Every structure is written in structure tokens, then in C-alpha cells.
Amino acid sequence: MKINRLFIVAALMAALFTSCKKANIDVDTTPIAQNGSGVSGEVFGIWTKGSVVRVTGDIIVPASKSLIIEEGVTVIMDTIAKPEFIVLGNLYSMGSAASPVKITVEENYRTAANKYGKLWGGILAATSCTELLLDNTIIEYGGGATTEASTSVKMGLYKAKSGENTPALWFSNVKGKLVVTNSTFRYFRDDCTYIEGGKIIFSNNRFYSTGLVGGEGINIKSGCLADISYNLFYATNTNALKLSNVGDRTPQAHVVAYNNTMLNTGWRRPTAKGGSVWLEATVYAELYNNLFANTRFGIKRDLKLPEDKRSIFKNSLYYGYSQATVDQFQPKTDIVGGTNDVIGKLAGENNPEFANYPLNTATDNPTLNESWDFHLLPGSAALNKGTTAFVRNFPDGLTVNGILYPSPAPSVNIGAFGLK
């Protein structure tokens, strides 16, 4: 299917008269730049509901401009050009549960052989990006390596050097706002996210089957104030959460992570950092109501660069199907023990009683079965063992593109999904 200029012009004009979500900004609806049968170069305006956009080369949302991607849009990244998605202005991906936005590759490349991606770059947002929203958005099969010719390297973005596997999302404005909600990150070569500043909410997302030789679900650095809640992390190669104050940016990284469910994380990278949650470089971390099932370690600290002394750890649940798994998450000098944790010393203790998940699944299994259900059944050890007695960074939520996005209230249950 080809996109021609007339179709895009007509679609953009029609969008002005539809009942789409309204922004608090003026959106320029100048026709999108074309390159043959696809899109490349500078893009801004609106990609309209239900359309298919083929990206044939690096695309750039210019500074002071915005790109809105409406629900049901499929963005297909070319696997030969392996384009990067550069955001100098603002990006609003506004899918819905019924019609998510999908940033992917052609269907014939969505195979087991490509389960660790590297088929296109990532979404890389410069310090000039003041707002970025991913709502009901699926991002997959990316993480391509940079070269000297990469736009991101030439612009000094991300790590600004060749040979780096790009994350699915890089955001770096300490004064900016980032909201990622109801979205899915999967099949990336390395990190799903790498965040170097901003006011941030990650809620109700899924991070799974990612990382070949490394890779975090959410990687936080200095300059970040973040609420991270109700997310599922399954089989991330390294950590579900890497929380760090590296970078010497202001403010000091302060993360409140609560009611997340983590399974099988860290086993495919058998090094010191591989696990569930990694703390380093004076990060100020507060962790509550998190569920760790068959994960490698629990909350682990870097003894050379430990977390801020104000950090708080409470009401986590740990489950291990095997004794070896249980033994390695027992608290010690580098393994953090929390207050009111639900933790035993024998295999099989504190069964979370998932609605549909075989707890004997191999810990190094990288594949999520979409039929699995991580809600809790009656009798779960996670029920009514959580706490709500803490303060989030953003109890009133964050307003992005004129819409208020909440930081969800905590639950009295442990984990992301609650009672079935």
C-alpha cells in the first residue's frame, strides 16, 4: 500500500474537522515531506486515525513543531534504511485500547528470528523536546546500532557515538514532561527506555522479551523525577528497573516505583547487574508493593555507589519456584531487604496465585504467551499485603498536550494486576 501526497493532504485537512482529542498547542498541518513512496526528513502535523505510514529514512520532528499520531495508525519502519525517529519538537502518540498506535516493521519481518530487533533505530528525543506522550502505543523490533553516518550521532543525541544499540525511547529534557501509559515495548536489542531527565510517569505498560546481551526495561538517570506503577516486566535481559543518579544533572534522580509485577527478569545476563531492580550512584528510590516472581535477585545495590540514605523499601513479595531462586533473593549486604516484605526461605512459599501462569516456566524463557493472566486469585499471598502510606512525585498527575494523565493511586494489594 502506497501513501501519496494527495491522500495525506486530504487526510490532514479532514482531521481539522473531526472530533479527535484537542491539544493546547497549535498544530501545523503542512503536508508531510515525502521520499518516493514513503516518509522521510522533517515531519510534523497529524498522522490521521487508521492510516499506514511507511518510513523510508530518518524522520525529524523539528524544534517548536509537533507530530500527533492518532489512534490506529501503523508506522512501518524500513528494515534496509533502519531509520531513526528523531524528536526535536514534541511527539504525541495517542492510541486507544481498541486501536493502538503501532511502530513496527513489515509483517514478514515480525518473526522469531528477529525477536531481538535491531531492524530500525529508536525514538530519540533531544533536550529541545518539552513534551512526549506514548499512550496505547506498541513499539517493537527496533534498537538498531548507530554508525558515524547516523543522524543521532551527527546531532550529538543519545550517546553520540557509533556502535551503540539505540533504546526504544530516549528522553533527556530535565524540564520536560514524559508520559508513557498503556503501552508495550518488545523485541528490542538492548534497553527499552533510557531516560536522562524530566517529570515522568510510566503506568500500566508491558516490557517483555527484550535484550540479547543486555537491556533494561526502564533505565533512569539523574535529572529525573518519576512515578513508575502498574507495569509488567517479563524476561528483560538485565533489570526490570535500573535506577541511577549517574550524570550529575539537577534534580537528583528520585523514583517512586510501586505496584509493579516482575517475572523471569535478569536470568539471561548472568553478571552482577542482572536482576530485578539495580540501584546506584546516590539515586533516591522508594519502592513499594512490588511483586518479584522467579526473578534473579530482588532489589540489588552497587556497593561502590549506593543509593541515597533517604531511600525506602516496603511491602515487596518474593516468590521462587526453585530453592536456588529463593536462596539468591535473600537479603544481605548487596541485596536489599525491606520493611513488611512477604518473603520466605523455602521454594514455593508465598504463592502469588496468578490466574493463568505456570510458575514452573523456565526462568530463562524469553517469550511471553499472550494468554497468560497475571491477575491474582483468591488466596494469593499478595492480597491485602501492600501499603498506600506514601507520597508519589505527581499525586495530581501530569498535563501533556492539554490532557491530564494521572499517576495512579497505590493499591493495598502487591503487584500490578489485583484480584481476578
Side-chain angles (χ1 to χ4, degrees), residues 62-137:
S64 76
K65 299 289 186 180
S66 295
L67 175 64
I68 293 177
I69 307 177
E70 294 186 330
E71 63 180 308
V73 172
T74 298
V75 182
I76 297 178
M77 309 298 276
D78 184 86
T79 57
I80 296 175
K82 297 185 178 181
E84 295 179 333
F85 197 137
I86 306 294
V87 185
L88 306 181
N90 298 324
L91 173 65
Y92 306 106
S93 180
M94 306 177 74
S96 65
S99 298
V101 170
K102 195 168 188 177
I103 303 177
T104 185
V105 293
E106 291 284 6
E107 187 173 0
N108 59 306
Y109 286 99
R110 301 173 211 163
T111 64
N114 292 321
K115 65 182 177 182
Y116 297 123
K118 215 173 182 179
L119 299 182
W120 59 280
I123 299 173
L124 307 175
T127 55
S128 55
C129 173
T130 59
E131 292 188 345
L132 197 151
L133 168 70
L134 300 177
D135 185 2
N136 281 287
T137 299

Side-chain angles (χ1 to χ4, degrees), residues 145-183:
T146 58
T147 69
E148 293 294 340
S150 296
T151 298
S152 62
V153 173
K154 292 177 179 179
M155 287 186 170
L157 306 179
Y158 185 43
K159 297 186 179 181
K161 60 182 181 180
S162 63
E164 294 290 331
N165 294 330
T166 55
L169 172 64
W170 175 67
F171 188 85
S172 59
N173 185 349
V174 296
K175 296 182 179 180
K177 290 185 284 187
L178 169 66
V179 173
V180 181
T181 185
N182 303 308
S183 293

Side-chain angles (χ1 to χ4, degrees), residues 36-53:
S37 59
V39 176
S40 65
E42 291 191 349
V43 296
F44 49 92
I46 300 172
W47 287 350
T48 54
K49 178 178 178 179
S51 61
V52 176
V53 179

Side-chain angles (χ1 to χ4, degrees), residues 222-268:
S222 63
C224 293
L225 301 176
D227 288 346
I228 299 174
S229 64
Y230 297 95
N231 301 288
L232 170 68
F233 301 88
Y234 187 87
T236 50
N237 176 279
T238 314
N239 300 286
L241 302 175
K242 183 176 182 180
L243 309 180
S244 173
N245 193 49
V246 165
D248 297 322
R249 287 172 292 272
T250 300
Q252 175 189 16
H254 179 202
V255 181
V256 183
Y258 59 97
N259 285 105
N260 299 288
T261 294
M262 307 175 207
L263 298 99
N264 286 29
T265 55
W267 290 103
R268 293 185 293 111

